[in-house]
Amino acid sequence: MDKSKIPVEQRPALALLLDDHRAVKKLFKEFEGAKKDADKQAIATETCHQLTVHAQIEEEIFYPALRGVSDKIDDMLDEAKVEHEVAKALIAKIESGEPEMLDANYKVLTEYVGHHVEEEEGEMFTAVIKAKIDLRDVAKQLEARKMELLGELA
């Protein structure tokens, strides 16, 4: 999704979420290229950290701001909630530290999150733009909460 084509009243919120998606995709690629187990573990830990913060700000702020706008968006939010639950289960497995299962769990997480991001950007964000939802206040809340969570988890 091209950030420059997002309406100004939605750009800061959606751009923050898009930037999170890009950062995690970059980590997925780094993991693929990593040779050492210690490097893979460090990348996996960072990925889990970023995904946990991202999911939390979506669940606490972004999704509730969209709830009730349309039945279509509500259906997407329900699906996203289930997808987050599955991703959290995979994150918990990765964080539990079974080194022999790291590659398998990370690969499934990569595929799963990739699918979720495609749907979120291709369907949900598009529906949000069409619905002309003003997300300026939501953007400020997302940014503040993200900084708070990053500080807590640092």
Side-chain angles (χ1 to χ4, degrees):
M1 176 171 275
D2 182 354
K3 288 189 238 179
S4 68
K5 294 193 166 106
I6 299 171
V8 70
E9 64 275 4
Q10 298 163 328
R11 191 173 301 146
L14 296 182
L16 181 144
L17 299 175
L18 287 166
D19 288 346
D20 283 356
H21 292 168
R22 301 299 170 269
V24 169
K25 281 183 181 179
K26 186 177 174 203
L27 288 168
F28 290 156
K29 280 190 171 44
E30 283 179 32
F31 186 92
E32 246 178 63
K35 303 289 183 239
K36 297 179 189 167
D37 288 344
D39 293 340
K40 286 183 175 184
Q41 188 58 58
I43 294 165
T45 299
E46 179 60 24
T47 303
C48 291
H49 174 76
Q50 287 195 27
L51 286 172
T52 299
V53 169
H54 179 78
Q56 192 165 340
I57 65 172
E58 282 187 334
E59 291 168 8
E60 289 178 3
I61 299 162
F62 186 64
Y63 293 169
L66 306 180
R67 185 65 70 182
V69 170
S70 73
D71 289 344
K72 180 182 175 185
I73 290 175
D74 283 352
D75 289 346
M76 286 186 253
L77 293 171
D78 293 343
E79 187 178 333
K81 180 181 178 183
V82 173
E83 290 173 347
H84 278 201
E85 289 170 6
V86 173
K88 286 176 191 176
L90 286 165
I91 288 167
K93 284 184 178 194
I94 291 168
E95 290 178 334
S96 74
E98 290 182 58
E100 66 279 358
M101 292 300 289
L102 178 62
D103 285 348
N105 284 322
Y106 197 88
K107 182 173 179 57
V108 173
L109 182 68
T110 299
E111 292 168 355
Y112 203 78
V113 169
H115 167 79
H116 174 73
V117 165
E118 264 181 43
E119 283 192 340
E120 200 166 70
E121 292 182 11
E123 296 172 27
M124 185 185 296
F125 290 4
T126 302
V128 166
I129 291 168
K130 283 182 183 167
K132 297 181 175 17
I133 304 165
D134 189 332
L135 297 173
R136 286 179 278 220
D137 287 340
V138 170
K140 290 176 191 158
Q141 292 172 45
L142 287 169
E143 183 67 36
R145 183 66 174 134
K146 183 178 176 181
M147 290 303 115
E148 181 184 344
L149 290 169
L150 289 172
E152 283 176 14
L153 297 173

